[in-house]
């Protein structure tokens, strides 16, 4: 999903146009609305989110996919991740259950549809809201292997503390947590 980018995103996407579906928003509609758009355009039984500034192991999809195929009673699988800085330096290895992020989770699409996708009013903490709603009806298992590389840098939207606090207050009010 190209959410109205003004940088070189369009060029980068063109390099992979034979292998991926490219969805371009004429203007920026926000992360949760773009995520929902991508899910709805997909024809897959499974949905996974990988943010543009992160990357994954070559085995990422195979391992998570095989887990859900072999475990029909499981609804999603999250892998552990490595937190890295802008220079690829490893900051820490993280447990996806005790320190969850919005990426690196393979969901059964029907479960996301059932909980009505991401709440598009959460411009921050959209992943936490989705996770709380998802876990009320479904489970998220853990793959104890760091297949995801989560990049921390000065341009992360999570660095906007004012917006983060605002949406966290909304989240606590909505879910009472």
């Amino acid at each position: 999903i190209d959410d109205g980018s003004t940088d070189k995103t369009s060029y980068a996407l063109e390099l992979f146009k034979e292998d991926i579906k490219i969805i371009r928003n004429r203007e920026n509609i926000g992360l949760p609305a773009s995520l929902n758009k991508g899910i709805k355009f997909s024809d897959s039984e499974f949905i996974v989110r990988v943010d543009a500034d992160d990357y994954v192991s070559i085995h990422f999809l195979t391992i998570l996919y095989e887990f859900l195929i072999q475990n029909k009673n499981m609804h999603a699988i999250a892998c552990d991740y490595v937190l890295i800085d802008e220079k690829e330096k490893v900051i820490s290895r993280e447990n996806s259950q005790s320190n969850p992020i919005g990426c690196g989770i393979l969901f059964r699409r029907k479960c996301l549809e059932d909980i009505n996708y991401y709440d598009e009013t959460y411009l921050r903490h959209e992943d936490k809201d989705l996770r709380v709603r998802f876990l009320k009806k479904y489970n998220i298992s853990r793959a104890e292997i760091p297949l995801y590389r989560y990049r921390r840098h000065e341009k992360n939207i999570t660095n906007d503390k004012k917006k983060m606090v605002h949406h966290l207050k909304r989240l606590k009010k909505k879910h009472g947590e």
Side-chain angles (χ1 to χ4, degrees):
I1 308 284
D2 178 356
D3 191 19
S5 296
T6 57
D7 58 10
K8 295 181 182 179
T9 298
S10 291
Y11 171 75
L13 290 174
E14 285 299 317
L15 297 174
F16 300 97
K17 68 183 177 186
E18 301 301 320
D19 300 318
I20 62 174
K21 288 182 185 179
I22 300 172
I23 301 167
R24 288 192 171 91
N25 298 336
R26 289 190 179 143
E27 59 185 38
N28 184 286
I29 62 172
L31 180 58
S34 290
L35 291 168
N36 286 343
K37 192 174 188 180
I39 295 166
K40 291 172 186 175
F41 269 90
S42 170
D43 56 6
S44 177
E45 178 183 349
F46 303 101
I47 300 295
V48 66
R49 172 180 166 186
V50 177
D51 285 351
D53 54 350
D54 300 336
Y55 59 98
V56 297
S57 162
I58 192 169
H59 305 292
F60 173 71
L61 286 176
T62 303
I63 291 171
L64 299 183
Y65 173 81
E66 281 299 322
F67 181 89
L68 287 183
I69 289 297
Q70 299 299 323
N71 295 284
K72 301 290 186 198
N73 61 330
M74 300 296 176
H75 306 110
I77 176 80
C79 65
D80 285 353
Y81 60 97
V82 175
L83 189 61
I84 60 172
D85 67 16
E86 62 277 351
K87 294 180 181 174
E88 309 294 321
K89 182 182 175 203
V90 173
I91 299 169
S92 62
R93 178 183 168 159
E94 299 293 333
N95 177 317
S96 62
Q97 281 185 336
S98 60
N99 195 14
I101 57 173
C103 303
I105 307 169
L106 186 67
F107 292 97
R108 291 189 188 275
R109 178 197 177 113
K110 65 182 180 180
C111 299
L112 291 176
E113 290 173 347
D114 185 51
I115 65 164
N116 201 26
Y117 310 102
Y118 287 90
D119 182 334
E120 295 180 11
T121 67
Y122 282 90
L123 301 179
R124 303 293 187 279
H125 296 301
E126 77 291 333
D127 56 325
K128 289 180 182 173
D129 175 70
L130 179 90
R131 188 179 194 92
V132 168
R133 292 183 295 113
F134 192 90
L135 288 172
K136 286 180 181 176
K137 293 183 84 170
Y138 302 109
N139 59 53
I140 300 175
S141 299
R142 175 181 173 220
E144 296 182 40
I145 181 170
L147 300 170
Y148 197 90
R149 301 295 181 268
Y150 181 63
R151 190 182 314 267
R152 294 290 307 174
H153 52 80
E154 63 186 40
K155 293 183 181 178
N156 284 121
I157 64 171
T158 54
N159 291 337
D160 185 334
K161 300 301 180 198
K162 185 176 180 180
K163 286 184 181 176
M164 292 295 286
V165 168
H166 167 74
H167 288 283
L168 186 58
K169 286 179 182 177
R170 289 184 61 223
L171 190 67
K172 287 179 179 181
K173 184 176 181 182
K174 178 178 181 180
H175 298 291
E177 298 180 18

